[in-house]
Structures are given as C-alpha cells and as structure tokens.
Coordinates of all heavy atoms in Angstrom, one line a residue:
M325 N 21.4 -14.6 -9.9 CA 20.7 -13.3 -10.1 C 21.2 -12.7 -11.4 O 22.3 -12.8 -11.8 CB 21.1 -12.4 -8.9 CG 20.5 -11.1 -8.9 SD 20.7 -10.3 -7.3 CE 19.1 -9.7 -7.2
L326 N 20.2 -12.0 -12.0 CA 20.5 -11.3 -13.3 C 21.2 -10.0 -13.1 O 21.0 -9.3 -12.1 CB 19.2 -11.1 -14.1 CG 18.5 -12.4 -14.5 CD1 17.2 -12.0 -15.1 CD2 19.3 -13.2 -15.5
S327 N 22.0 -9.6 -14.0 CA 22.7 -8.3 -14.0 C 21.7 -7.2 -14.3 O 20.7 -7.4 -14.8 CB 23.9 -8.3 -14.9 OG 23.4 -8.3 -16.3
D328 N 22.1 -6.0 -13.9 CA 21.3 -4.8 -14.2 C 21.0 -4.7 -15.7 O 19.9 -4.3 -16.1 CB 21.9 -3.6 -13.7 CG 21.9 -3.5 -12.1 OD1 21.2 -4.3 -11.5 OD2 22.7 -2.7 -11.6
N329 N 22.0 -5.0 -16.5 CA 21.9 -4.8 -18.0 C 20.8 -5.8 -18.5 O 20.1 -5.4 -19.4 CB 23.2 -5.0 -18.7 CG 24.2 -3.9 -18.4 OD1 23.8 -2.8 -18.1 ND2 25.5 -4.2 -18.6
K330 N 20.8 -7.0 -18.0 CA 19.8 -7.9 -18.4 C 18.4 -7.5 -18.0 O 17.4 -7.7 -18.8 CB 20.1 -9.3 -17.8 CG 19.4 -10.4 -18.6 CD 19.9 -10.5 -20.0 CE 19.6 -11.8 -20.6 NZ 19.9 -11.8 -22.0
V331 N 18.2 -7.0 -16.8 CA 16.9 -6.5 -16.4 C 16.5 -5.3 -17.3 O 15.3 -5.3 -17.7 CB 17.0 -6.0 -14.9 CG1 15.7 -5.4 -14.5 CG2 17.3 -7.2 -14.0
I332 N 17.4 -4.4 -17.6 CA 17.0 -3.3 -18.5 C 16.6 -3.8 -19.9 O 15.7 -3.3 -20.5 CB 18.2 -2.3 -18.5 CG1 18.3 -1.6 -17.2 CG2 18.0 -1.3 -19.6 CD1 19.6 -0.8 -17.0
E333 N 17.3 -4.8 -20.4 CA 17.0 -5.4 -21.7 C 15.6 -6.0 -21.7 O 14.9 -5.8 -22.6 CB 18.1 -6.4 -22.0 CG 17.9 -7.1 -23.4 CD 18.9 -8.1 -23.7 OE1 19.9 -8.2 -23.0 OE2 18.7 -8.9 -24.7
I334 N 15.3 -6.7 -20.6 CA 14.0 -7.3 -20.5 C 12.9 -6.3 -20.4 O 11.9 -6.4 -21.0 CB 13.9 -8.3 -19.2 CG1 14.8 -9.5 -19.5 CG2 12.5 -8.7 -18.9 CD1 15.0 -10.3 -18.2
F335 N 13.2 -5.2 -19.7 CA 12.2 -4.1 -19.6 C 12.0 -3.5 -21.0 O 10.8 -3.2 -21.3 CB 12.7 -3.0 -18.6 CG 11.8 -1.8 -18.6 CD1 10.6 -1.8 -18.0 CD2 12.2 -0.6 -19.3 CE1 9.7 -0.7 -18.1 CE2 11.4 0.5 -19.3 CZ 10.2 0.4 -18.7
Y336 N 13.0 -3.2 -21.7 CA 12.9 -2.6 -23.0 C 12.1 -3.5 -24.0 O 11.2 -3.1 -24.8 CB 14.2 -2.3 -23.7 CG 14.7 -0.9 -23.2 CD1 15.9 -0.8 -22.5 CD2 14.1 0.3 -23.5 CE1 16.4 0.4 -22.0 CE2 14.5 1.5 -23.1 CZ 15.7 1.5 -22.4 OH 16.1 2.8 -21.9
M337 N 12.3 -4.8 -23.9 CA 11.6 -5.8 -24.7 C 10.1 -5.8 -24.3 O 9.2 -5.8 -25.2 CB 12.2 -7.2 -24.6 CG 13.5 -7.3 -25.2 SD 14.3 -8.9 -24.9 CE 13.2 -10.0 -25.6
A338 N 9.8 -5.7 -23.0 CA 8.4 -5.7 -22.6 C 7.8 -4.4 -23.0 O 6.6 -4.3 -23.4 CB 8.4 -5.9 -21.1
D339 N 8.5 -3.3 -22.9 CA 8.0 -2.0 -23.3 C 7.6 -1.9 -24.7 O 6.6 -1.4 -25.1 CB 8.9 -0.9 -22.9 CG 8.3 0.5 -23.0 OD1 7.2 0.7 -22.5 OD2 9.0 1.4 -23.6
D340 N 8.5 -2.4 -25.6 CA 8.3 -2.5 -27.0 C 7.0 -3.3 -27.3 O 6.2 -2.9 -28.2 CB 9.5 -3.0 -27.8 CG 10.7 -2.1 -27.8 OD1 10.5 -0.9 -27.6 OD2 11.8 -2.5 -28.1
F341 N 6.9 -4.4 -26.7 CA 5.7 -5.3 -26.9 C 4.5 -4.5 -26.4 O 3.5 -4.5 -27.2 CB 5.8 -6.6 -26.1 CG 4.5 -7.3 -26.0 CD1 4.1 -8.1 -27.1 CD2 3.7 -7.3 -24.9 CE1 2.9 -8.7 -27.1 CE2 2.5 -8.0 -24.9 CZ 2.1 -8.7 -26.0
C342 N 4.5 -3.9 -25.3 CA 3.3 -3.1 -24.8 C 2.9 -2.0 -25.7 O 1.7 -1.8 -26.0 CB 3.5 -2.6 -23.4 SG 3.6 -3.9 -22.2
N343 N 3.9 -1.3 -26.2 CA 3.6 -0.2 -27.2 C 2.9 -0.7 -28.5 O 2.0 -0.2 -29.0 CB 4.8 0.6 -27.5 CG 5.3 1.4 -26.4 OD1 4.5 1.8 -25.5 ND2 6.6 1.7 -26.3
F344 N 3.5 -1.8 -29.0 CA 3.0 -2.4 -30.2 C 1.6 -3.0 -30.0 O 0.6 -2.7 -30.7 CB 3.9 -3.6 -30.7 CG 3.3 -4.3 -31.9 CD1 3.4 -3.8 -33.1 CD2 2.8 -5.6 -31.7 CE1 2.9 -4.5 -34.2 CE2 2.3 -6.3 -32.8 CZ 2.3 -5.7 -34.0
F345 N 1.4 -3.6 -28.8 CA 0.1 -4.2 -28.5 C -1.0 -3.2 -28.3 O -2.1 -3.3 -28.8 CB 0.2 -5.1 -27.2 CG -1.0 -5.8 -26.8 CD1 -1.5 -6.9 -27.5 CD2 -1.8 -5.3 -25.8 CE1 -2.6 -7.6 -27.1 CE2 -3.0 -5.9 -25.4 CZ -3.4 -7.1 -26.1
N346 N -0.6 -2.1 -27.6 CA -1.6 -1.0 -27.3 C -2.0 -0.3 -28.6 O -3.2 0.0 -28.8 CB -1.1 0.0 -26.3 CG -1.0 -0.5 -24.9 OD1 -1.7 -1.5 -24.6 ND2 -0.1 0.0 -24.1
E347 N -1.1 -0.1 -29.5 CA -1.4 0.5 -30.8 C -2.3 -0.4 -31.7 O -3.3 0.0 -32.3 CB -0.1 0.8 -31.6 CG 0.6 2.0 -31.1 CD -0.2 3.3 -31.1 OE1 -0.9 3.5 -32.1 OE2 -0.1 4.0 -30.1
T348 N -2.0 -1.7 -31.6 CA -2.9 -2.7 -32.4 C -4.3 -2.7 -31.8 O -5.3 -2.8 -32.5 CB -2.2 -4.1 -32.3 OG1 -0.9 -4.0 -32.9 CG2 -3.0 -5.1 -33.2
V349 N -4.4 -2.7 -30.5 CA -5.7 -2.8 -29.9 C -6.5 -1.5 -30.2 O -7.7 -1.5 -30.5 CB -5.6 -3.0 -28.3 CG1 -6.9 -2.7 -27.6 CG2 -5.1 -4.4 -28.0
K350 N -5.8 -0.3 -30.2 CA -6.4 0.9 -30.5 C -7.0 1.0 -31.9 O -8.0 1.5 -32.1 CB -5.4 2.1 -30.3 CG -6.1 3.5 -30.3 CD -5.0 4.5 -30.2 CE -4.7 4.7 -28.8 NZ -3.8 5.9 -28.6
K351 N -6.2 0.4 -32.8 CA -6.7 0.3 -34.2 C -7.9 -0.5 -34.4 O -8.8 -0.2 -35.2 CB -5.6 -0.3 -35.1 CG -4.4 0.6 -35.4 CD -3.5 -0.1 -36.4 CE -2.1 0.6 -36.5 NZ -1.2 -0.2 -37.3
H352 N -8.0 -1.6 -33.7 CA -9.1 -2.6 -33.9 C -10.2 -2.5 -32.9 O -11.1 -3.3 -32.9 CB -8.5 -4.0 -33.9 CG -7.6 -4.3 -35.0 ND1 -6.3 -4.0 -35.0 CD2 -7.9 -4.7 -36.3 CE1 -5.7 -4.3 -36.1 NE2 -6.6 -4.8 -36.9
S353 N -10.2 -1.5 -32.0 CA -11.3 -1.4 -31.0 C -12.3 -0.3 -31.4 O -12.0 0.7 -32.2 CB -10.7 -1.1 -29.7 OG -10.1 0.2 -29.6
I354 N -13.5 -0.4 -30.9 CA -14.5 0.6 -31.0 C -14.5 1.5 -29.8 O -14.6 1.0 -28.7 CB -15.9 -0.1 -31.2 CG1 -15.9 -1.0 -32.4 CG2 -17.0 1.0 -31.3 CD1 -17.2 -1.8 -32.5
E355 N -14.4 2.8 -30.0 CA -14.3 3.7 -28.9 C -15.7 3.8 -28.3 O -16.7 3.9 -28.9 CB -13.9 5.1 -29.4 CG -12.5 5.0 -30.1 CD -11.6 6.0 -29.5 OE1 -12.0 6.8 -28.6 OE2 -10.5 6.1 -30.0
D356 N -15.8 3.9 -26.9 CA -17.0 4.0 -26.2 C -17.4 5.4 -25.9 O -18.5 5.7 -25.3 CB -17.0 3.1 -25.0 CG -15.9 3.5 -24.0 OD1 -15.1 4.5 -24.3 OD2 -15.8 2.9 -22.9
G357 N -16.5 6.4 -26.2 CA -16.8 7.8 -26.0 C -16.6 8.3 -24.6 O -16.7 9.4 -24.3
K358 N -16.2 7.4 -23.7 CA -15.9 7.7 -22.3 C -14.4 8.1 -22.2 O -13.5 7.4 -22.8 CB -16.2 6.6 -21.4 CG -17.7 6.3 -21.3 CD -17.9 5.1 -20.4 CE -19.4 4.7 -20.4 NZ -19.6 3.5 -19.6
K359 N -14.1 9.0 -21.3 CA -12.7 9.3 -21.0 C -12.2 8.5 -19.8 O -13.0 8.3 -18.9 CB -12.5 10.8 -20.7 CG -12.7 11.7 -22.0 CD -12.4 13.1 -21.7 CE -12.5 13.9 -22.9 NZ -12.2 15.3 -22.7
H360 N -11.0 7.9 -19.9 CA -10.5 7.1 -18.8 C -9.3 7.8 -18.3 O -8.4 8.3 -19.0 CB -10.1 5.7 -19.3 CG -11.3 5.0 -19.9 ND1 -12.2 4.3 -19.1 CD2 -11.7 4.8 -21.2 CE1 -13.1 3.8 -19.8 NE2 -12.9 4.1 -21.1
R361 N -9.2 7.8 -17.0 CA -8.0 8.5 -16.3 C -6.9 7.4 -16.0 O -7.2 6.3 -15.7 CB -8.4 9.1 -15.0 CG -9.4 10.2 -15.1 CD -9.7 10.8 -13.8 NE -9.3 10.0 -12.6 CZ -9.4 10.4 -11.4 NH1 -9.8 11.6 -11.1 NH2 -9.0 9.7 -10.4
N362 N -5.7 7.9 -16.2 CA -4.6 7.1 -15.7 C -4.0 7.8 -14.5 O -3.6 8.9 -14.6 CB -3.5 7.0 -16.8 CG -3.9 6.0 -17.9 OD1 -4.7 5.1 -17.7 ND2 -3.3 6.3 -19.1
K363 N -4.0 7.1 -13.4 CA -3.4 7.6 -12.2 C -1.9 7.6 -12.3 O -1.3 6.6 -12.7 CB -3.9 6.9 -11.0 CG -5.4 7.0 -10.8 CD -5.8 6.3 -9.5 CE -7.3 6.4 -9.4 NZ -7.8 5.7 -8.2
P364 N -1.2 8.7 -11.9 CA 0.2 8.8 -12.1 C 1.0 7.8 -11.2 O 2.2 7.5 -11.5 CB 0.6 10.2 -11.8 CG -0.6 10.7 -11.0 CD -1.8 9.9 -11.5
S365 N 0.4 7.3 -10.1 CA 1.2 6.5 -9.2 C 1.1 5.0 -9.7 O 1.7 4.1 -9.0 CB 0.6 6.6 -7.8 OG -0.7 6.2 -7.8
R366 N 0.4 4.7 -10.7 CA 0.3 3.3 -11.2 C 1.5 2.8 -12.0 O 2.1 3.6 -12.7 CB -1.0 3.3 -12.1 CG -1.4 1.9 -12.4 CD -2.7 2.0 -13.2 NE -2.6 0.9 -14.2 CZ -3.0 1.0 -15.4 NH1 -3.7 2.1 -15.8 NH2 -2.8 0.1 -16.3
L367 N 1.9 1.6 -11.8 CA 2.9 1.0 -12.6 C 2.5 0.9 -14.0 O 1.3 0.6 -14.3 CB 3.3 -0.4 -12.1 CG 4.0 -0.4 -10.7 CD1 4.2 -1.9 -10.3 CD2 5.4 0.2 -10.8
S368 N 3.4 1.0 -14.9 CA 3.1 0.8 -16.3 C 3.0 -0.7 -16.6 O 3.5 -1.5 -15.8 CB 4.2 1.4 -17.2 OG 5.4 0.7 -17.1
D369 N 2.4 -1.0 -17.7 CA 2.3 -2.4 -18.1 C 3.6 -3.1 -18.2 O 3.8 -4.2 -17.8 CB 1.5 -2.6 -19.4 CG 0.0 -2.2 -19.2 OD1 -0.5 -2.2 -18.1 OD2 -0.6 -1.8 -20.2
A370 N 4.6 -2.4 -18.8 CA 5.9 -2.9 -19.0 C 6.6 -3.2 -17.7 O 7.3 -4.2 -17.6 CB 6.8 -2.0 -19.9
E371 N 6.4 -2.3 -16.7 CA 7.0 -2.5 -15.4 C 6.4 -3.8 -14.7 O 7.2 -4.6 -14.1 CB 6.8 -1.3 -14.5 CG 7.6 -0.1 -15.0 CD 7.2 1.2 -14.3 OE1 6.0 1.3 -13.9 OE2 8.0 2.1 -14.2
M372 N 5.1 -3.9 -14.8 CA 4.5 -5.1 -14.3 C 4.9 -6.4 -14.9 O 5.2 -7.4 -14.2 CB 3.0 -5.0 -14.3 CG 2.4 -4.0 -13.4 SD 0.6 -4.0 -13.4 CE 0.2 -3.1 -14.9
I373 N 5.0 -6.4 -16.3 CA 5.5 -7.6 -17.0 C 6.9 -7.9 -16.6 O 7.3 -9.1 -16.4 CB 5.4 -7.4 -18.5 CG1 3.9 -7.4 -18.9 CG2 6.1 -8.4 -19.3 CD1 3.7 -6.9 -20.3
T374 N 7.8 -6.9 -16.5 CA 9.2 -7.1 -16.1 C 9.3 -7.8 -14.7 O 10.0 -8.7 -14.5 CB 10.0 -5.8 -16.1 OG1 9.9 -5.2 -17.4 CG2 11.4 -6.0 -15.8
I375 N 8.5 -7.3 -13.7 CA 8.5 -7.8 -12.4 C 8.0 -9.3 -12.4 O 8.6 -10.1 -11.8 CB 7.6 -7.0 -11.5 CG1 8.3 -5.6 -11.2 CG2 7.3 -7.7 -10.2 CD1 7.4 -4.6 -10.5
L376 N 7.0 -9.6 -13.2 CA 6.5 -10.9 -13.3 C 7.5 -11.9 -13.9 O 7.7 -13.0 -13.5 CB 5.2 -11.0 -14.1 CG 4.0 -10.4 -13.5 CD1 2.8 -10.3 -14.5 CD2 3.5 -11.2 -12.3
I377 N 8.2 -11.4 -14.9 CA 9.3 -12.2 -15.5 C 10.4 -12.5 -14.5 O 10.9 -13.6 -14.4 CB 9.8 -11.5 -16.8 CG1 8.8 -11.6 -17.9 CG2 11.1 -12.2 -17.3 CD1 9.1 -10.8 -19.1
M378 N 10.8 -11.5 -13.8 CA 11.9 -11.6 -12.8 C 11.6 -12.5 -11.7 O 12.5 -13.2 -11.2 CB 12.2 -10.2 -12.2 CG 12.8 -9.2 -13.3 SD 14.1 -9.8 -14.2 CE 15.3 -10.0 -13.0
F379 N 10.3 -12.7 -11.3 CA 10.0 -13.5 -10.2 C 9.3 -14.8 -10.6 O 8.6 -15.4 -9.7 CB 9.1 -12.7 -9.2 CG 9.8 -11.7 -8.4 CD1 9.7 -10.3 -8.8 CD2 10.7 -12.0 -7.4 CE1 10.4 -9.4 -8.1 CE2 11.4 -11.1 -6.7 CZ 11.3 -9.7 -7.1
R380 N 9.4 -15.2 -11.8 CA 8.8 -16.5 -12.2 C 9.6 -17.7 -11.7 O 10.6 -17.7 -11.3 CB 8.6 -16.5 -13.7 CG 9.9 -16.6 -14.5 CD 9.6 -16.9 -15.9 NE 10.8 -16.9 -16.6 CZ 11.5 -18.0 -17.0 NH1 11.0 -19.2 -16.7 NH2 12.6 -17.9 -17.6

C-alpha cells in the first residue's frame, strides 16, 4: 500500500497535467457559444485520474 504522501504527490502530478491539458485545449478549440454547467458534486478530472492510477 502506498503512503499518504505518495498519494498526494500523484494527485498533484495529475492536477498539474489536467490544468495544462485544459488550457491547451481551450487555446486550440472553437467555442460553440453554449454555456456548460459544472455540478459541484462531481469529482474533478485529477481526482478521477488519481483513483484510476491507485486501482490499476
């Protein structure tokens, strides 16, 4: 089992990747003019990636 520090490190790496990826996609995408809602109870992309890494 991984230590808490390792899990946090993996989460930060996933979060940095998601932030970079989302900014890159935003720069290169064409806006459709529609507003999209983010529901507050939804897991973030970094949280989902961390869970997937932990259970692989």
Side-chain angles (χ1 to χ4, degrees):
M325 180 166 226
L326 295 174
S327 68
D328 290 343
N329 290 336
K330 197 61 159 173
V331 174
I332 293 169
E333 182 181 348
I334 291 169
F335 172 76
Y336 276 115
M337 290 171 63
D339 191 49
D340 288 342
F341 169 77
C342 289
N343 290 335
F344 175 77
F345 182 77
N346 289 336
E347 288 298 320
T348 303
V349 167
K350 189 184 280 188
K351 283 182 194 175
H352 294 89
S353 67
I354 298 172
E355 302 232 358
D356 59 359
K358 297 179 184 177
K359 291 187 178 181
H360 300 278
R361 295 183 344 175
N362 286 334
K363 295 182 180 179
S365 62
R366 192 176 139 215
L367 289 174
S368 71
D369 293 337
E371 290 168 332
M372 288 187 281
I373 290 172
T374 303
I375 291 169
L376 290 171
I377 289 171
M378 296 305 298
F379 288 105
R380 66 171 178 99

